[in-house]
Amino acid sequence: MVLEKLGDSLKQAFRKISSLSSIDREAVESVIRDLQRSLLQADVDAELVIELSDSIKKKVLSGKTPPGMTLKEHFIKVLYDEIVGFLGKGEGGLEIKPQRILLVGLFGSGKTTTAGKLAKWFRSRGLKPALVACDTFRPAAKEQISQTASSLGIPAYTEGKSPKDVAAFALRNSKEDVLIFDSAGRNALDEELARELKELAKAAKPDEVLLVIPADIGQAARRQSEEFGKLVGITGVIVTKMDGTAKGGGALAAASVSGATVKFITTGEKLSDIEAYDPKRFVGRLIGYGDLQGLLEKAREAGIGADAKSAERLMSGKFDMNDFYEQIGQMQKMGSMSKIIEMIPGLGGMKLPKGTLDVQEEKMRRWRYAIDSMTPEERKEPDLIKASRISRIAKGSGVPESEVRELLKYFRQTQKLMKMAKGGKGFRRGPFAQIAKQFGLGGM
Ligand SMILES: Nc1nc2c(ncn2[C@@H]2O[C@H](COP(=O)(O)OP(=O)(O)OP(=O)(O)O)[C@@H](O)[C@H]2O)c(=O)[nH]1
Ligand SMILES: [Mg+2]
């Protein structure tokens, strides 16, 4: 996974907040110290790290906790929002419309490969792309473009001696919606490259000039995007090779602070290894919590938690088929359980057996029918349910026996999870304990 290490340490920071017994200056500082360490390891500029830390500290300790939020929730929210803001702004990607895109960047940054990836990206969104081989500097560059284009089944325009000639030829002869202009790299953005790119831009008249930067340059991405921005003008950045380095965080933060928008990241050598960059989604995935805000809102909308008695029972470790029935109903309102689990700090990081919680809605509905067909005793003591009862329940509910068995198995797993979580520390008093309780995951 991309930036696994940064993700792990961020996850830990959130978990730590959940486990704190009170939020005071010392607690905030200790979480921030952890955060600083992990950001520095991701090659984020030290000065930026300090700025971020100060901003988080100020917001959390200002005493202005939004109404309806505990200080702990507030802390989590501030941390999350600040990290998102830090790693980028706005949504990435490009508008799905006819346009011309010029890719610029230093040697080996991934321009030519990215040209192919972008073509594929647009094609799968219903547009007709073509590649334009404006790297006349490296002998094999035109060949590389032609090969990529033919593997995608799209045209490549390669005719012309100089970059601007190739561009002009393409503009005269192409009928495609999206033209992607590759350009030559250099060791540095020197005068020669600047002149060539300016000339090329004049001929190609691009709507977008995207700087291609490899993630492994880390914080140096700031200077590079500033320089390219000043000398040739850029409308955005693509950070490549996110798969091969721990420095991606530094590159993203640096590009963002330079004022550029990161439009895409690429994560491998295959033509499909590209994605529109959305800092919110990226951070959500990085820390494995999904969207924190969405979770809070959903929980409120669903009006869950009315049944405090059931929650009490769960806290005390009792958990029978009646509780399970209720849970399933609540989950149906909220989406799959594994998704919900991912969104709960402290649980998101819990290592659960794969597939344990992956229950589809359709199945939940049938399970409820099956539980409806159980007797009150069976619901109180599911252990009573043996073969003959399974077959009776299956007949009564119209749910296949195999699924009734699956339901029982899932019930037992959940019961075990409840016990396990009850034994664990930290989460019991965490900010999300209330929400967890409402999901029937209480007592953690
Ligand atoms: N792992 C990985 N490799 C990548 C990625 N993007 C590009 N590469 C590799 O990086 C190398 C250079 O890519 P190119 O697309 O040729 O780079 P370029 O900027 O066009 O290079 P020049 O034209 O020589 O300046 C190739 O081996 C690519 O396969 C990526 O996202 N992940
Ligand atoms: Mg190239």
Side-chain angles (χ1 to χ4, degrees):
M1 188 216 148
V2 169
L3 297 187
E4 195 158 359
K5 228 171 137 195
L6 180 60
D8 278 347
S9 47
L10 291 180
K11 246 180 254 175
Q12 249 167 39
F14 282 96
R15 217 174 302 159
K16 189 165 183 176
I17 303 179
S18 304
S19 69
L20 289 169
S21 55
S22 70
I23 307 285
D24 51 19
R25 176 169 291 272
E26 201 182 315
V28 173
E29 274 168 2
S30 131
V31 170
I32 286 179
R33 267 196 305 277
D34 294 347
L35 177 70
Q36 289 175 333
R37 202 169 312 123
S38 52
L39 291 175
L40 290 172
Q41 272 166 4
D43 200 38
V44 176
D45 182 311
E47 222 171 281
L48 295 182
V49 173
I50 305 244
E51 268 173 40
L52 178 75
S53 312
D54 288 348
S55 167
I56 293 172
K57 224 183 290 181
K58 215 162 89 197
K59 284 189 178 136
V60 178
L61 296 172
S62 68
K64 282 184 220 129
T65 305
M69 246 188 189
T70 65
L71 183 55
K72 219 179 248 192
E73 281 172 323
H74 180 51
F75 189 7
I76 287 177
K77 183 178 182 316
V78 168
L79 192 62
Y80 179 85
D81 288 347
E82 290 278 319
I83 292 170
V84 169
F86 188 66
L87 289 181
K89 52 180 170 318
E91 269 180 50
L94 286 170
E95 257 188 89
I96 313 300
K97 60 166 194 196
Q99 58 191 295
R100 294 183 210 139
I101 300 160
L102 170 60
L103 298 179
V104 303
L106 299 183
F107 264 144
S109 57
K111 296 176 293 299
T112 308
T113 315
T114 303
K117 289 174 180 173
L118 276 178
K120 186 171 166 134
W121 191 84
F122 276 107
R123 194 186 58 182
S124 65
R125 282 159 182 77
L127 288 166
K128 288 196 170 59
L131 298 179
V132 188
C134 297
D135 178 357
T136 52
F137 188 76
R138 201 159 55 83
K142 286 188 177 183
E143 184 52 32
Q144 197 187 350
I145 280 284
S146 297
Q147 267 174 18
T148 307
S150 85
S151 81
L152 284 168
I154 61 171
Y157 297 94
T158 58
E159 214 127 315
K161 277 218 163 55
S162 68
K164 66 176 192 321
D165 289 347
V166 181
F169 178 84
L171 287 184
R172 277 198 309 276
N173 293 285
S174 64
K175 291 183 285 294
E176 289 73 29
D177 306 318
V178 179
L179 291 183
I180 301 165
F181 299 83
D182 187 26
S183 71
R186 295 288 196 286
N187 278 323
L189 178 53
D190 50 24
E191 257 172 56
E192 187 199 348
L193 179 58
R195 187 160 14 94
E196 178 178 312
L197 291 178
K198 271 184 194 151
E199 248 178 45
L200 174 54
K202 216 168 133 194
K205 298 186 196 59
D207 302 289
E208 302 281 347
V209 180
L210 302 179
L211 172 63
V212 179
I213 304 181
D216 54 24
I217 68 169
Q219 54 178 286
R222 177 179 186 168
R223 230 187 66 206
Q224 219 179 90
S225 34
E226 280 170 356
E227 280 180 7
F228 270 87
K230 212 157 50 202
L231 283 175
V232 297
I234 56 171
T235 58
V237 168
I238 297 180
V239 181
T240 61
K241 309 186 194 182
M242 287 290 292
D243 51 315
T245 173
K247 293 183 174 182
L252 290 169
S256 168
V257 79
S258 79
T261 305
V262 178
K263 306 270 192 185
F264 292 91
I265 56 175
T266 77
T267 53
E269 296 189 89
K270 288 197 305 293
L271 287 174
S272 52
D273 294 331
I274 185 166
E275 57 184 276
Y277 178 65
D278 171 7
K280 226 177 183 151
R281 227 181 40 215
F282 184 75
V283 171
R285 227 174 40 193
L286 207 56
I287 59 181
Y289 292 175
D291 185 343
L292 213 52
Q293 212 48 27
L295 173 73
L296 287 166
E297 276 159 24
K298 261 191 173 174
R300 281 179 200 135
E301 269 169 32
I304 287 164
D307 192 350
K309 235 198 228 140
S310 159
E312 274 306 307
R313 286 170 45 72
L314 293 175
M315 295 287 275
S316 71
K318 292 195 190 89
F319 181 77
D320 66 17
M321 206 46 101
N322 292 305
D323 302 310
F324 191 58
Y325 186 88
E326 232 167 76
Q327 262 195 37
I328 295 175
Q330 291 169 354
M331 278 190 267
Q332 278 178 311
K333 285 190 218 159
M334 319 242 342
S336 91
M337 183 144 173
S338 56
K339 236 206 228 120
I340 291 161
I341 292 276
E342 253 175 45
M343 290 193 261
I344 303 175
L347 270 192
M350 232 162 112
K351 293 262 183 293
L352 297 171
K354 226 182 149 71
T356 315
L357 299 163
D358 227 0
V359 181
Q360 300 310 314
E361 260 177 59
E362 179 56 27
K363 201 172 262 176
M364 291 194 212
R365 202 167 50 82
R366 286 200 300 274
W367 284 3
R368 291 191 89 177
Y369 294 155
I371 300 175
D372 280 332
S373 288
M374 292 175 188
T375 66
E377 296 87 63
E378 284 166 349
R379 271 182 239 163
K380 275 219 172 69
E381 249 174 279
D383 281 342
L384 289 175
I385 305 174
K386 297 283 179 316
S388 67
R389 294 191 184 218
I390 289 178
S391 119
R392 194 209 72 237
I393 291 166
K395 282 211 188 79
S397 60
V399 175
E401 277 187 34
S402 61
E403 264 184 53
V404 178
R405 269 195 213 94
E406 203 185 343
L407 156 68
L408 290 168
K409 190 170 141 215
Y410 184 83
F411 167 78
R412 276 192 287 272
Q413 278 179 344
T414 310
Q415 202 177 33
K416 215 154 68 196
L417 174 65
M418 295 296 166
K419 288 206 181 104
M420 213 166 79
K422 193 173 174 284
K425 277 206 199 87
F427 195 70
R428 195 181 323 230
R429 290 189 309 271
F432 282 79
Q434 190 58 32
I435 291 168
K437 217 164 31 176
Q438 291 160 357
F439 288 127
L441 289 165
M444 296 180 183

